[in-house]
């Protein structure tokens, strides 16, 4: 496909991460944290916020120093930048949200190996200016948080009969609902994302 | 939960079946879906993971207990571990290529992919979190790598058949793979509470 070489506007870059190149539904990256911590909407949202922070900060920093990085050793430098921000998140969450920190477990330090973040540094931030890199990070991050929170909400409502966000209960199906425990256990994660992907495929074909 | 008082066999069993890295812990899903089209490639990936994971666990354990703990630098573990793993994969690739050409032929193409395999870093962090001793760290790591190989090879053999099966259009490709993984995960849930684990 011949592509017209034209700079994208900031709005297009932002929407790109949410719709056209949604990291989860289209690019299929960042799956491990997505399935592992989406048992409840609250944990999923917490993970999403942590990931957005690391993604935006590392995109911005990589873009700012991109002219000083020798291309041969760019990957180790990206990894050091990303893991420094992950350490910031790790310590902050441990201090201010101890319960969330306990629920997310080793998936907080594992944000380092989320291929989405390294991928954006390599594919976008290294080649674009800081403003664009910031907007790209925000778009991709919001694309991620939308999917992970939706997944968390679906699994929680089916598996526990509630939806909690920001530590407050938003919805409760009441005593009469018999929760399908399967959905908050590991198999439910695979099952729900399988159905979400099939739904997206069906919808995008219809459009 | 694994802890240091358990015997070798229980630690191995827990790492391999009860807390399977892929199906129960959700680590390293990218290679699980990425290279599971054929049984041979998934077996190759499994062997490469075993090789790198054991090396990485030993080195990270030594660095954590003899370098980070004495200087009270535990908060640097994420940065330290990922750098160790990234450089270890590079060294392993160079060493194997020079000294064991047949092994390199078999594992070569999988080695670079392993840096971003979150199971390597995940298991290294778990070893430290569970405060296992050195020998038990190795046992736990071998168990995890066997669990990885077992589930990816099983999954590949299922996928080889699913390709030929009539699947609803919307589910073709990845969606049905996820549903399959879900059923496998359900089967592995059956191992929970095995021998009191």
């Amino acid at each position: 496909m011949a592509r017209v070489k034209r700079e994208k506007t900031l709005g297009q870059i932002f929407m790109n991460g949410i719709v056209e190149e949604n990291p989860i539904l289209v690019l299929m990256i960042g799956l491990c944290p997505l399935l592992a911590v989406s048992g409840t909407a609250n944990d999923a949202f917490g993970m999403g916020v942590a990931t957005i922070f690391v993604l935006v900060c590392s995109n911005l920093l990589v873009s700012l120093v991109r002219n000083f990085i020798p291309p041969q050793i760019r990957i180790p430098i990206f990894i050091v930048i990303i893991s420094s921000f992950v350490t910031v998140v790790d310590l902050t969450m441990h201090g201010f949200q101890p319960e969330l920190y306990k629920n997310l477990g080793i998936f907080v330090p594992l944000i380092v190996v989320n291929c989405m973040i390294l991928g954006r540094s390599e594919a976008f931030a290294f080649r674009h200016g800081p403003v664009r890199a910031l907007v790209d990070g925000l778009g991709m991050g919001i694309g991620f948080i939308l999917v992970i929170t939706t997944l968390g909400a679906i699994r929680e409502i089916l598996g526990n009969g509630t939806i909690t966000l920001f530590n407050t209960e938003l919805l409760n199906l009441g005593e009469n609902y018999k929760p399908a425990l399967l959905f908050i256990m590991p198999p439910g994660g695979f099952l729900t994302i399988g159905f979400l992907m099939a739904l997206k495929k069906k919808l995008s074909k219809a459009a | 939960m694994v802890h240091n008082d358990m015997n070798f066999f229980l630690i191995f069993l827990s790492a391999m079946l009860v807390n399977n890295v892929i199906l129960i812990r959700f680590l390293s899903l990218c290679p699980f879906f990425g290279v599971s089209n054929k049984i041979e490639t998934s077996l190759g990936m499994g062997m490469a993971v075993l090789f790198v994971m054991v090396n990485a666990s030993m080195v990270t354990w030594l660095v954590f207990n003899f370098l980070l703990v004495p200087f009270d630098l535990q908060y640097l573990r994420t940065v330290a571990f990922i750098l160790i793993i990234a450089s270890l994969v590079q060294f392993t690739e160079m060493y194997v290529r020079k000294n064991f050409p047949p092994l390199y032929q078999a594992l070569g193409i999988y080695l670079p992919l392993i840096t971003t395999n979150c199971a390597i870093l995940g298991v290294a962090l778990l070893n430290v979190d569970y405060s296992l001793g050195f020998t038990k760290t190795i046992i736990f790591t071998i168990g995890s790598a066997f669990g990885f190989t077992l589930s990816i090879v099983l999954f590949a053999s299922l996928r080889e058949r699913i390709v030929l099966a009539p699947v609803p259009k919307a589910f073709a490709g990845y969606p049905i793979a996820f549903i399959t993984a879900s059923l496998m995960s359900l089967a592995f849930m059956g191992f929970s509470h095995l021998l009191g684990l």
Side-chain angles (χ1 to χ4, degrees):
Chain A
M1 192 172 71
R3 265 183 128 164
V4 185
K5 200 83 174 140
R6 197 185 46 175
E7 286 283 282
K8 282 184 172 175
T9 65
L10 289 178
Q12 279 169 331
I13 294 175
F14 183 69
M15 289 311 287
N16 182 42
I18 301 178
V19 186
E20 287 151 45
E21 287 188 23
N22 186 296
I24 308 283
L25 295 174
V26 181
L27 302 182
M28 295 270 299
I29 49 180
L31 287 175
C32 302
L34 176 81
L35 294 179
V37 300
S38 59
T40 68
N42 206 33
D43 291 355
F45 188 77
M47 186 66 186
V49 171
T51 310
I52 289 189
F53 174 78
V54 176
L55 184 58
V56 169
C57 292
S58 59
N59 252 12
L60 185 64
L61 191 60
V62 165
S63 171
L64 284 174
V65 298
R66 72 186 189 284
N67 295 325
F68 308 103
I69 299 179
Q72 298 86 349
I73 54 161
R74 65 185 190 282
I75 302 283
I77 293 179
F78 294 164
I79 292 180
V80 173
I81 291 175
I82 294 169
S83 53
S84 324
F85 284 117
V86 171
T87 309
V88 172
V89 169
D90 193 319
L91 296 175
T92 315
M93 199 188 279
H94 198 166
F96 292 99
Q97 294 281 340
E99 196 175 337
L100 182 67
Y101 185 77
K102 215 181 99 230
N103 289 346
L104 298 187
I106 59 164
F107 284 92
V108 180
L110 281 182
I111 297 176
V112 177
V113 281
N114 188 331
C115 357
M116 181 171 82
I117 297 174
L118 188 64
R120 288 332 280 176
S121 295
E122 164 77 13
F124 198 93
F126 194 57
R127 288 147 225 258
H128 292 84
V131 181
R132 282 165 179 276
L134 184 85
V135 172
D136 177 73
L138 267 180
M140 283 283 161
I142 290 172
F144 178 76
I145 203 171
L146 284 178
V147 178
I148 195 172
T149 314
T150 313
L151 192 65
I154 295 175
R155 287 179 69 184
E156 197 186 338
I157 193 88
L158 291 174
N160 199 30
T162 56
I163 292 184
T164 25
L165 205 55
F166 314 114
N167 297 324
T168 45
E169 203 169 82
L170 298 180
L171 189 68
N172 195 335
L173 291 182
E175 299 283 305
N176 292 326
Y177 177 72
K178 291 230 167 50
L181 258 186
L182 174 78
F183 280 92
I184 46 175
M185 291 196 296
F190 286 117
L191 198 64
T192 318
I193 191 75
F195 274 97
L196 275 185
M197 280 178 168
L199 184 72
K200 190 196 160 271
K201 219 168 164 184
K202 185 108 185 156
L203 290 179
S204 58
K205 262 199 200 121
Chain B
M1 274 300 169
V2 176
H3 45 84
N4 205 23
D5 305 329
M6 284 158 65
N7 70 37
F8 291 155
F9 180 67
L10 282 184
I11 288 182
F12 182 81
L13 214 59
S14 163
M16 180 171 167
L17 298 176
V18 181
N19 292 309
N20 187 285
V21 264
I22 297 179
L23 296 168
I24 304 295
R25 281 196 206 280
F26 291 121
L27 291 172
S28 80
L29 294 176
C30 303
F32 186 62
F33 288 100
V35 297
S36 61
N37 290 322
K38 285 207 198 103
I39 296 183
E40 294 96 79
T41 51
S42 55
L43 200 60
M45 188 69 188
M47 290 301 113
V49 165
L50 175 68
F51 192 71
V52 174
M53 204 186 250
V54 173
N55 284 332
S57 282
M58 290 196 294
V59 178
T60 49
W61 190 91
L62 291 172
V63 167
F64 186 80
N65 284 289
F66 292 109
L67 209 60
L68 298 186
V69 173
F71 292 102
D72 209 14
L73 291 172
Q74 286 94 328
Y75 65 90
L76 279 182
R77 65 174 190 174
T78 315
V79 186
F81 283 15
I82 188 70
L83 283 179
I84 291 170
I85 291 169
S87 38
L88 197 72
V89 172
Q90 284 279 298
F91 282 125
T92 313
E93 196 190 349
M94 289 192 278
Y95 180 76
V96 172
R97 188 192 309 194
K98 193 158 184 295
N99 295 301
F100 304 98
L103 188 65
Y104 183 76
Q105 292 267 309
L107 304 185
I109 53 165
Y110 305 107
L111 286 173
L113 294 175
I114 287 181
T115 316
T116 50
N117 182 332
C118 48
I120 309 283
L121 181 61
V123 170
L125 290 168
L126 285 174
N127 288 331
V128 172
D129 274 358
Y130 292 149
S131 40
L132 296 175
F134 189 65
T135 331
K136 288 185 176 168
T137 289
I138 297 175
I139 301 284
F140 181 78
T141 310
I142 295 178
S144 303
F146 271 45
F148 175 88
T149 314
L150 177 71
S151 37
I152 197 170
V153 170
L154 284 177
F155 188 56
S157 46
L158 285 172
R159 278 185 87 178
E160 283 189 353
R161 280 165 183 72
I162 288 175
V163 170
L164 305 170
V167 175
K169 266 208 190 92
F171 279 92
Y174 281 116
I176 194 71
F178 276 99
I179 310 280
T180 315
S182 161
L183 294 176
M184 281 180 68
S185 166
L186 195 60
F188 269 73
M189 294 278 303
F191 288 118
S192 58
H193 304 297
L194 179 76
L195 298 175
L197 287 170

Tab-separated table of all heavy atoms in Angstrom, chain B residues 10-49:
chain	number	residue	atom	x	y	z
B	10	LEU	N	8.171	-31.351	46.366
B	10	LEU	CA	6.980	-30.502	46.431
B	10	LEU	C	7.209	-29.172	45.727
B	10	LEU	O	6.320	-28.663	45.040
B	10	LEU	CB	6.573	-30.265	47.882
B	10	LEU	CG	5.844	-31.424	48.556
B	10	LEU	CD1	5.409	-31.023	49.948
B	10	LEU	CD2	4.642	-31.865	47.734
B	11	ILE	N	8.406	-28.595	45.900
B	11	ILE	CA	8.705	-27.329	45.229
B	11	ILE	C	8.638	-27.504	43.713
B	11	ILE	O	8.029	-26.710	43.000
B	11	ILE	CB	10.095	-26.803	45.646
B	11	ILE	CG1	10.041	-26.307	47.079
B	11	ILE	CG2	10.567	-25.696	44.721
B	11	ILE	CD1	11.322	-25.725	47.584
B	12	PHE	N	9.221	-28.605	43.243
B	12	PHE	CA	9.224	-28.881	41.803
B	12	PHE	C	7.799	-29.029	41.271
B	12	PHE	O	7.409	-28.418	40.279
B	12	PHE	CB	10.027	-30.169	41.548
B	12	PHE	CG	10.149	-30.528	40.095
B	12	PHE	CD1	11.101	-29.912	39.300
B	12	PHE	CD2	9.311	-31.471	39.537
B	12	PHE	CE1	11.209	-30.229	37.963
B	12	PHE	CE2	9.415	-31.791	38.193
B	12	PHE	CZ	10.366	-31.171	37.414
B	13	LEU	N	6.997	-29.818	41.998
B	13	LEU	CA	5.625	-30.087	41.573
B	13	LEU	C	4.792	-28.807	41.591
B	13	LEU	O	4.013	-28.536	40.679
B	13	LEU	CB	5.010	-31.119	42.520
B	13	LEU	CG	4.026	-32.089	41.917
B	13	LEU	CD1	4.698	-32.861	40.804
B	13	LEU	CD2	3.517	-33.033	42.986
B	14	SER	N	4.985	-28.023	42.628
B	14	SER	CA	4.218	-26.782	42.744
B	14	SER	C	4.542	-25.849	41.594
B	14	SER	O	3.650	-25.253	40.981
B	14	SER	CB	4.544	-26.107	44.076
B	14	SER	OG	4.156	-24.780	44.050
B	15	ALA	N	5.847	-25.727	41.263
B	15	ALA	CA	6.247	-24.816	40.194
B	15	ALA	C	5.764	-25.313	38.838
B	15	ALA	O	5.384	-24.529	37.977
B	15	ALA	CB	7.759	-24.652	40.176
B	16	MET	N	5.774	-26.652	38.651
B	16	MET	CA	5.464	-27.173	37.319
B	16	MET	C	3.956	-27.251	37.069
B	16	MET	O	3.485	-26.823	36.023
B	16	MET	CB	6.086	-28.551	37.157
B	16	MET	CG	5.813	-29.171	35.813
B	16	MET	SD	6.783	-30.644	35.594
B	16	MET	CE	6.014	-31.359	34.163
B	17	LEU	N	3.204	-27.796	38.035
B	17	LEU	CA	1.789	-28.052	37.765
B	17	LEU	C	0.843	-27.117	38.502
B	17	LEU	O	0.024	-26.449	37.899
B	17	LEU	CB	1.451	-29.512	38.138
B	17	LEU	CG	2.200	-30.582	37.361
B	17	LEU	CD1	1.855	-31.950	37.895
B	17	LEU	CD2	1.851	-30.503	35.889
B	18	VAL	N	0.982	-27.062	39.844
B	18	VAL	CA	-0.037	-26.363	40.630
B	18	VAL	C	-0.034	-24.869	40.331
B	18	VAL	O	-1.082	-24.248	40.191
B	18	VAL	CB	0.173	-26.634	42.130
B	18	VAL	CG1	-0.897	-25.936	42.941
B	18	VAL	CG2	0.142	-28.119	42.393
B	19	ASN	N	1.167	-24.267	40.230
B	19	ASN	CA	1.244	-22.848	39.889
B	19	ASN	C	1.916	-22.676	38.534
B	19	ASN	O	2.858	-21.921	38.385
B	19	ASN	CB	2.026	-22.079	40.951
B	19	ASN	CG	1.283	-22.024	42.244
B	19	ASN	OD1	0.120	-21.658	42.284
B	19	ASN	ND2	1.944	-22.422	43.317
B	20	ASN	N	1.412	-23.386	37.537
B	20	ASN	CA	2.008	-23.330	36.205
B	20	ASN	C	2.240	-21.883	35.750
B	20	ASN	O	1.341	-21.056	35.841
B	20	ASN	CB	1.072	-24.038	35.226
B	20	ASN	CG	1.671	-24.175	33.857
B	20	ASN	OD1	1.742	-23.223	33.121
B	20	ASN	ND2	2.133	-25.356	33.535
B	21	VAL	N	3.466	-21.588	35.276
B	21	VAL	CA	3.797	-20.190	34.931
B	21	VAL	C	2.821	-19.579	33.941
B	21	VAL	O	2.430	-18.427	34.087
B	21	VAL	CB	5.225	-20.004	34.335
B	21	VAL	CG1	6.204	-19.606	35.382
B	21	VAL	CG2	5.671	-21.180	33.547
B	22	ILE	N	2.444	-20.343	32.917
B	22	ILE	CA	1.597	-19.736	31.894
B	22	ILE	C	0.134	-19.763	32.289
B	22	ILE	O	-0.528	-18.732	32.356
B	22	ILE	CB	1.768	-20.479	30.555
B	22	ILE	CG1	3.198	-20.345	30.067
B	22	ILE	CG2	0.808	-19.922	29.533
B	22	ILE	CD1	3.446	-21.057	28.789
B	23	LEU	N	-0.361	-20.960	32.591
B	23	LEU	CA	-1.818	-21.116	32.687
B	23	LEU	C	-2.387	-20.613	34.003
B	23	LEU	O	-3.555	-20.264	34.073
B	23	LEU	CB	-2.189	-22.577	32.467
B	23	LEU	CG	-1.840	-23.082	31.069
B	23	LEU	CD1	-1.945	-24.579	30.988
B	23	LEU	CD2	-2.744	-22.436	30.048
B	24	ILE	N	-1.596	-20.587	35.068
B	24	ILE	CA	-2.129	-20.106	36.341
B	24	ILE	C	-1.560	-18.735	36.688
B	24	ILE	O	-2.265	-17.869	37.172
B	24	ILE	CB	-1.809	-21.118	37.470
B	24	ILE	CG1	-2.347	-22.504	37.103
B	24	ILE	CG2	-2.386	-20.645	38.790
B	24	ILE	CD1	-3.845	-22.626	36.987
B	25	ARG	N	-0.267	-18.520	36.409
B	25	ARG	CA	0.339	-17.245	36.793
B	25	ARG	C	0.283	-16.185	35.699
B	25	ARG	O	0.627	-15.038	35.926
B	25	ARG	CB	1.819	-17.450	37.135
B	25	ARG	CG	2.070	-18.012	38.487
B	25	ARG	CD	3.533	-17.790	38.817
B	25	ARG	NE	4.006	-18.777	39.758
B	25	ARG	CZ	3.793	-18.705	41.057
B	25	ARG	NH1	3.121	-17.704	41.553
B	25	ARG	NH2	4.263	-19.637	41.852
B	26	PHE	N	-0.072	-16.555	34.482
B	26	PHE	CA	-0.137	-15.610	33.355
B	26	PHE	C	1.192	-14.947	33.041
B	26	PHE	O	1.234	-13.756	32.750
B	26	PHE	CB	-1.148	-14.496	33.629
B	26	PHE	CG	-2.565	-14.940	33.649
B	26	PHE	CD1	-3.339	-14.758	34.770
B	26	PHE	CD2	-3.123	-15.523	32.542
B	26	PHE	CE1	-4.659	-15.148	34.787
B	26	PHE	CE2	-4.443	-15.917	32.555
B	26	PHE	CZ	-5.211	-15.725	33.684
B	27	LEU	N	2.289	-15.709	33.129
B	27	LEU	CA	3.565	-15.120	32.712
B	27	LEU	C	3.896	-15.633	31.312
B	27	LEU	O	3.518	-16.740	30.955
B	27	LEU	CB	4.674	-15.513	33.682
B	27	LEU	CG	4.572	-14.891	35.069
B	27	LEU	CD1	5.600	-15.494	35.994
B	27	LEU	CD2	4.747	-13.404	34.978
B	28	SER	N	4.618	-14.801	30.554
B	28	SER	CA	5.106	-15.139	29.211
B	28	SER	C	4.011	-15.632	28.275
B	28	SER	O	4.122	-16.681	27.660
B	28	SER	CB	6.245	-16.149	29.275
B	28	SER	OG	5.807	-17.452	29.467
B	29	LEU	N	2.966	-14.813	28.135
B	29	LEU	CA	1.903	-15.167	27.199
B	29	LEU	C	2.290	-14.872	25.755
B	29	LEU	O	1.761	-15.486	24.842
B	29	LEU	CB	0.627	-14.407	27.545
B	29	LEU	CG	0.015	-14.796	28.883
B	29	LEU	CD1	-1.185	-13.935	29.178
B	29	LEU	CD2	-0.396	-16.249	28.882
B	30	CYS	N	3.238	-13.928	25.556
B	30	CYS	CA	3.604	-13.584	24.176
B	30	CYS	C	4.167	-14.791	23.430
B	30	CYS	O	3.652	-15.146	22.378
B	30	CYS	CB	4.565	-12.401	24.136
B	30	CYS	SG	3.907	-10.939	24.938
B	31	PRO	N	5.227	-15.486	23.962
B	31	PRO	CA	5.667	-16.678	23.235
B	31	PRO	C	4.602	-17.772	23.222
B	31	PRO	O	4.515	-18.543	22.266
B	31	PRO	CB	6.904	-17.145	24.003
B	31	PRO	CG	6.852	-16.472	25.299
B	31	PRO	CD	6.096	-15.205	25.100
B	32	PHE	N	3.772	-17.828	24.266
B	32	PHE	CA	2.745	-18.863	24.334
B	32	PHE	C	1.814	-18.771	23.132
B	32	PHE	O	1.434	-19.775	22.535
B	32	PHE	CB	1.951	-18.713	25.641
B	32	PHE	CG	0.957	-19.808	25.893
B	32	PHE	CD1	1.367	-21.112	26.043
B	32	PHE	CD2	-0.391	-19.523	25.996
B	32	PHE	CE1	0.457	-22.120	26.287
B	32	PHE	CE2	-1.309	-20.517	26.248
B	32	PHE	CZ	-0.885	-21.820	26.390
B	33	PHE	N	1.431	-17.534	22.755
B	33	PHE	CA	0.580	-17.391	21.585
B	33	PHE	C	1.395	-17.201	20.308
B	33	PHE	O	0.922	-17.507	19.222
B	33	PHE	CB	-0.396	-16.225	21.766
B	33	PHE	CG	-1.468	-16.538	22.761
B	33	PHE	CD1	-1.387	-16.069	24.054
B	33	PHE	CD2	-2.535	-17.341	22.408
B	33	PHE	CE1	-2.363	-16.393	24.979
B	33	PHE	CE2	-3.512	-17.661	23.330
B	33	PHE	CZ	-3.428	-17.182	24.624
B	34	GLY	N	2.636	-16.691	20.455
B	34	GLY	CA	3.419	-16.348	19.279
B	34	GLY	C	4.067	-17.525	18.585
B	34	GLY	O	4.033	-17.612	17.371
B	35	VAL	N	4.707	-18.431	19.339
B	35	VAL	CA	5.466	-19.501	18.683
B	35	VAL	C	4.840	-20.869	18.899
B	35	VAL	O	5.524	-21.877	18.892
B	35	VAL	CB	6.945	-19.540	19.146
B	35	VAL	CG1	7.668	-18.276	18.762
B	35	VAL	CG2	7.050	-19.796	20.628
B	36	SER	N	3.524	-20.910	19.106
B	36	SER	CA	2.909	-22.207	19.383
B	36	SER	C	2.160	-22.753	18.168
B	36	SER	O	1.206	-23.498	18.308
B	36	SER	CB	1.961	-22.096	20.576
B	36	SER	OG	0.947	-21.184	20.294
B	37	ASN	N	2.620	-22.390	16.965
B	37	ASN	CA	1.934	-22.915	15.788
B	37	ASN	C	2.332	-24.354	15.475
B	37	ASN	O	1.539	-25.115	14.951
B	37	ASN	CB	2.232	-22.040	14.571
B	37	ASN	CG	1.564	-20.695	14.702
B	37	ASN	OD1	0.443	-20.609	15.207
B	37	ASN	ND2	2.258	-19.649	14.309
B	38	LYS	N	3.598	-24.693	15.782
B	38	LYS	CA	4.069	-26.055	15.497
B	38	LYS	C	4.676	-26.649	16.758
B	38	LYS	O	5.234	-25.930	17.586
B	38	LYS	CB	5.172	-25.999	14.429
B	38	LYS	CG	4.673	-25.742	13.044
B	38	LYS	CD	5.652	-26.363	12.039
B	38	LYS	CE	5.469	-25.806	10.664
B	38	LYS	NZ	6.520	-24.837	10.332
B	39	ILE	N	4.613	-27.977	16.875
B	39	ILE	CA	5.153	-28.630	18.060
B	39	ILE	C	6.667	-28.450	18.139
B	39	ILE	O	7.217	-28.166	19.199
B	39	ILE	CB	4.792	-30.133	18.072
B	39	ILE	CG1	3.272	-30.290	18.165
B	39	ILE	CG2	5.456	-30.846	19.237
B	39	ILE	CD1	2.799	-31.703	18.248
B	40	GLU	N	7.377	-28.565	16.988
B	40	GLU	CA	8.846	-28.474	17.035
B	40	GLU	C	9.304	-27.110	17.535
B	40	GLU	O	10.184	-27.016	18.386
B	40	GLU	CB	9.479	-28.712	15.661
B	40	GLU	CG	9.303	-30.102	15.091
B	40	GLU	CD	8.122	-30.157	14.148
B	40	GLU	OE1	8.249	-29.733	12.996
B	40	GLU	OE2	7.050	-30.601	14.582
B	41	THR	N	8.697	-26.036	17.005
B	41	THR	CA	9.152	-24.708	17.424
B	41	THR	C	8.856	-24.480	18.895
B	41	THR	O	9.653	-23.880	19.606
B	41	THR	CB	8.493	-23.599	16.591
B	41	THR	OG1	7.099	-23.814	16.588
B	41	THR	CG2	9.026	-23.538	15.208
B	42	SER	N	7.709	-24.991	19.360
B	42	SER	CA	7.392	-24.739	20.766
B	42	SER	C	8.324	-25.530	21.672
B	42	SER	O	8.703	-25.061	22.750
B	42	SER	CB	5.934	-25.047	21.056
B	42	SER	OG	5.623	-26.337	20.679
B	43	LEU	N	8.739	-26.724	21.225
B	43	LEU	CA	9.700	-27.500	22.012
B	43	LEU	C	11.047	-26.776	22.055
B	43	LEU	O	11.693	-26.682	23.109
B	43	LEU	CB	9.857	-28.895	21.391
B	43	LEU	CG	10.422	-29.977	22.293
B	43	LEU	CD1	9.510	-30.170	23.499
B	43	LEU	CD2	10.556	-31.280	21.538
B	44	GLY	N	11.454	-26.215	20.908
B	44	GLY	CA	12.700	-25.452	20.861
B	44	GLY	C	12.661	-24.276	21.821
B	44	GLY	O	13.594	-24.021	22.582
B	45	MET	N	11.531	-23.546	21.812
B	45	MET	CA	11.375	-22.410	22.701
B	45	MET	C	11.446	-22.863	24.159
B	45	MET	O	12.084	-22.218	24.990
B	45	MET	CB	10.016	-21.757	22.435
B	45	MET	CG	9.813	-20.462	23.153
B	45	MET	SD	10.892	-19.198	22.477
B	45	MET	CE	10.620	-17.901	23.632
B	46	GLY	N	10.807	-24.004	24.451
B	46	GLY	CA	10.813	-24.518	25.820
B	46	GLY	C	12.223	-24.805	26.304
B	46	GLY	O	12.609	-24.440	27.419
B	47	MET	N	13.032	-25.436	25.435
B	47	MET	CA	14.406	-25.757	25.821
B	47	MET	C	15.226	-24.488	26.023
B	47	MET	O	16.002	-24.373	26.981
B	47	MET	CB	15.065	-26.624	24.732
B	47	MET	CG	14.515	-28.025	24.632
B	47	MET	SD	14.694	-28.931	26.181
B	47	MET	CE	13.007	-29.114	26.686
B	48	ALA	N	15.031	-23.503	25.126
B	48	ALA	CA	15.771	-22.243	25.265
B	48	ALA	C	15.397	-21.554	26.576
B	48	ALA	O	16.261	-21.017	27.278
B	48	ALA	CB	15.478	-21.336	24.074
B	49	VAL	N	14.108	-21.598	26.921
B	49	VAL	CA	13.668	-20.969	28.173
B	49	VAL	C	14.296	-21.679	29.369
B	49	VAL	O	14.796	-21.033	30.292
B	49	VAL	CB	12.126	-20.990	28.277
B	49	VAL	CG1	11.684	-20.702	29.692
B	49	VAL	CG2	11.536	-19.958	27.340
